Amino acid sequence: MSVQKVLELIKEKNIEFVDFRFVDLAGRAHHITLPSTEVDADTFVNGVAFDGSSITGFRGIEESDMVMMPDPESVYVDPFTAHATLIVMSNIHTPDGERYERDPRSIAHKAEEYLQAAGVGTDAFFAPESEFFIFDDVRYESTMNSSSFFVDSEEAAWNSNRKEEGGNLGFKVGVKGGYVPVAPVDSQQDIRSEMVRLMQESGLRVERHHHEVATAGQAEINFRFDTLTKTADNLLKYKYIVHNVARQYGKTATFMPKPLFGDNGSGMHVHMSIFNEGTPLFWEKGAYANLSEVALNYIGGILYHAPALIAITNPSTNSFKRLVPGYEAPVNLVYSKGNRSAAVRIPVAAVTPKGCRIEFRTPDSTANPYLAFAAMLMAGLDGIKRKINPSALGYGPFDKNIYELSDEEKKEIRSVPGTLDEALDALEADFEFLTQGDVFTKEFIENYVAVKRSEAKAVSIRVHPHEYSLYYDC
């Protein structure tokens, strides 16, 4: 959409306010709102100023002035505000007009530019499957003398004996028993449908929604693939709508990977493919899973660089409560067709040449999508550039159920890092593939690692409630 069409849309929809948004290092959106009477063509040229020193991981107070440069291609009408508001995503520039090297959205753009400059293809397509929980109650605290969390859901297995006014109506979701049941077991059909309705009104093409495996309101809504930066924009829109619809229903939604102990966590399986001027590059009929050599090399890059990638695709301490060997999470660095116990799965059901893709199952939604998708693309492109053969490195194909292997057999399979600190160590040791084409800079990686290490330390030095169960009577 051109700037002129955006200005026409403001008049056509009687827009009162324009909400300019950018994304921080962690992937959270921030905004500054202008009356629509203050927005004209010059706004898209000069940008909107803000204080970068107030955003974690950005700039110091001595160089805090920054500028949001609005992207007219990203606009949509906010479905929640009482006053008609248009949302516009922005890139971050320095006051002298340069792209800010720590801006996640600019990094995503640079990754797309590098794809074309490398001569591999013209478009990289991404489709994330971002799972989440819808709870009825959430409470938490972390103080000097107290540390606790509590979540509750009316459909949770632990509430099967709860006394309720009017009587307990039953039909709770069992532990690991929540995959696509109908109502009344699935109590959240209407809330998910309302989320989908608003997503569609906001420009997302939604393909389906359903209850997920875990008890206590785990859900998934799938929207259609798009190019890298547009998909990251769409994921922020998706999360914004999920959070706010849940709020309207008197509930709360979270994309934490592991909010509950003892049941499935929430992942963000990411489907990827590369096209060249409309021609799919991952398809070769008759090959293993109909994958071309380009696709296999791309997989090789993902799996080879996976320990470092995990620091960006699974960037929270909570991520590693989900990435535990022997449970449901795909921690095994192998590829396979249709096998959900592998880190990289190749979907094979009803796949056409244009639908041929790979699925990286390890990521979760604490990832900043602009950084995560850019990093995955850079790893895959490095695999193509270096012709990394995943089979030659012992990454498969592996078509057995890995969870049922003996301990001896499992020893032959590489696994992802076990903690955030281990993943950050891997990133420090292997980041050159990210800096090709100056997509990520060394300074960005150093700053990113420092911010994430501070998060890991904040968790590691605090007393955990379970330690009282283990050690209080020593």
Side-chain angles (χ1 to χ4, degrees):
M1 185 180 294
S2 67
V3 172
Q4 184 58 39
K5 287 190 175 181
V6 172
L7 298 177
E8 291 172 2
L9 181 65
I10 289 173
K11 290 182 180 179
E12 176 190 333
K13 298 289 186 180
N14 295 315
I15 298 295
E16 298 178 61
F17 295 93
V18 181
D19 201 50
F20 295 94
R21 297 188 177 186
F22 67 93
V23 66
D24 66 12
L25 201 65
R28 296 183 179 93
H30 301 262
H31 70 140
I32 292 177
T33 308
L34 274 63
S36 60
T37 53
E38 297 299 313
V39 177
D40 56 23
D42 287 343
T43 309
F44 289 81
V45 175
N46 301 323
V48 178
F50 72 98
D51 174 13
S53 69
S54 297
I55 305 299
T56 300
F58 271 20
R59 291 174 61 119
I61 197 168
E62 75 283 358
E63 50 177 3
S64 59
D65 285 359
M66 309 205 76
V67 182
M68 279 189 277
M69 297 303 297
D71 181 353
E73 293 289 336
S74 68
V75 303
Y76 68 99
V77 177
D78 193 319
F80 301 106
T81 51
H83 299 274
T85 301
L86 192 70
I87 294 172
V88 188
M89 290 302 299
S90 305
N91 294 328
I92 302 174
H93 285 207
T94 61
D96 59 8
E98 297 296 320
R99 285 198 293 201
Y100 183 44
E101 66 177 17
R102 294 185 187 178
D103 172 30
R105 199 168 187 271
S106 292
I107 289 172
H109 276 141
K110 288 193 290 183
E112 292 182 292
E113 292 165 4
Y114 178 73
L115 166 66
Q116 296 184 9
V120 174
T122 54
D123 298 287
F125 291 101
F126 288 77
E129 298 177 358
S130 185
E131 299 164 335
F132 56 94
F133 280 86
I134 302 172
F135 294 131
D136 293 289
D137 187 22
V138 57
R139 288 170 264 162
Y140 52 90
E141 69 172 357
S142 180
T143 65
M144 176 182 288
N145 70 320
S146 178
S147 180
S148 65
F149 75 89
F150 174 86
V151 295
D152 204 5
S153 166
E154 63 182 7
E155 68 168 45
W158 60 77
N159 280 323
S160 61
N161 193 38
R162 184 171 71 177
K163 292 180 174 61
E164 298 175 342
E165 186 177 350
N168 190 333
L169 300 180
F171 293 103
K172 306 304 182 187
V173 176
V175 175
K176 298 184 182 294
Y179 187 66
V180 298
V182 299
V185 177
D186 178 2
S187 66
Q188 297 180 344
Q189 172 79 12
D190 286 341
I191 187 172
R192 294 195 309 271
S193 291
E194 177 64 7
M195 291 171 179
V196 169
R197 184 184 73 81
L198 293 181
M199 288 175 188
Q200 291 174 319
E201 284 187 4
S202 300
L204 285 183
R205 180 175 170 182
V206 179
E207 296 180 330
R208 62 180 185 172
H209 74 79
H210 60 87
H211 201 290
E212 259 297 346
V213 172
T215 189
Q218 191 181 35
E220 182 177 317
I221 300 173
N222 299 140
F223 60 87
R224 194 166 178 81
F225 67 87
D226 210 323
T227 51
L228 192 158
T229 303
K230 288 182 179 178
T231 299
D233 285 346
N234 287 340
L235 187 56
L236 257 68
K237 183 189 300 184
Y238 170 95
K239 294 173 81 170
Y240 178 65
I241 291 172
V242 166
H243 281 138
N244 282 282
V245 170
R247 188 86 166 188
Q248 288 181 332
Y249 274 71
K251 298 179 185 291
T252 179
T254 180
F255 290 85
M256 278 180 67
K258 197 72 171 179
L260 301 177
F261 172 71
D263 209 336
N264 283 30
S266 293
M268 182 179 71
H269 310 150
V270 181
H271 297 252
M272 293 172 269
S273 62
I274 296 178
F275 279 55
N276 187 44
E277 301 290 353
T279 300
L281 300 184
F282 279 12
W283 172 268
E284 183 181 316
K285 186 171 179 59
Y288 176 81
N290 293 317
L291 286 181
S292 67
E293 184 179 359
V294 169
L296 287 172
N297 292 157
Y298 191 99
I299 291 171
I302 292 285
L303 293 173
Y304 179 82
H305 294 295
L309 271 182
I310 298 303
I312 298 174
T313 63
N314 302 76
S316 68
T317 57
N318 188 252
S319 298
F320 296 87
K321 303 295 193 297
R322 169 179 169 262
L323 297 180
V324 178
Y327 290 85
E328 84 285 351
V331 300
N332 306 292
L333 295 180
V334 295
Y335 74 100
S336 174
K337 58 181 180 182
N339 187 344
R340 286 173 166 79
S341 63
V344 173
R345 183 179 79 96
I346 300 95
V348 292
V351 171
T352 64
K354 288 191 173 183
C356 186
R357 63 199 184 275
I358 73 161
E359 176 191 5
F360 189 31
R361 295 178 58 79
T362 305
D364 65 59
S365 291
T366 56
N368 180 320
Y370 301 95
L371 300 179
F373 299 161
M376 284 184 260
L377 178 60
M378 295 302 290
L381 291 178
D382 190 60
I384 294 170
K385 176 182 177 181
R386 296 167 53 190
K387 298 188 180 300
I388 297 176
N389 183 331
S391 299
L393 296 179
Y395 294 127
F398 205 100
D399 295 327
K400 300 178 182 178
N401 185 338
I402 298 172
Y403 303 135
E404 296 179 354
L405 297 180
S406 68
D407 290 340
E408 280 300 314
E409 290 174 306
K410 288 178 182 177
K411 286 180 181 178
E412 302 300 316
I413 300 175
R414 297 178 179 90
S415 187
V416 300
T419 67
L420 178 56
D421 272 320
E422 288 179 15
L424 293 170
D425 289 343
L427 179 59
E428 286 182 316
D430 176 27
F431 65 85
E432 288 83 3
F433 71 98
L434 296 171
T435 61
Q436 297 298 308
D438 203 35
V439 174
F440 292 77
T441 65
K442 186 171 185 289
E443 191 277 337
F444 173 88
I445 298 295
E446 291 171 347
N447 176 67
Y448 179 88
V449 169
V451 169
K452 289 299 174 181
R453 284 211 191 277
S454 69
E455 294 178 14
K457 182 177 181 181
V459 172
S460 68
I461 65 175
R462 278 167 172 74
V463 179
H464 191 284
H466 194 58
E467 291 176 309
Y468 273 78
S469 299
L470 295 173
Y471 309 123
Y472 188 75
D473 60 349
C474 288

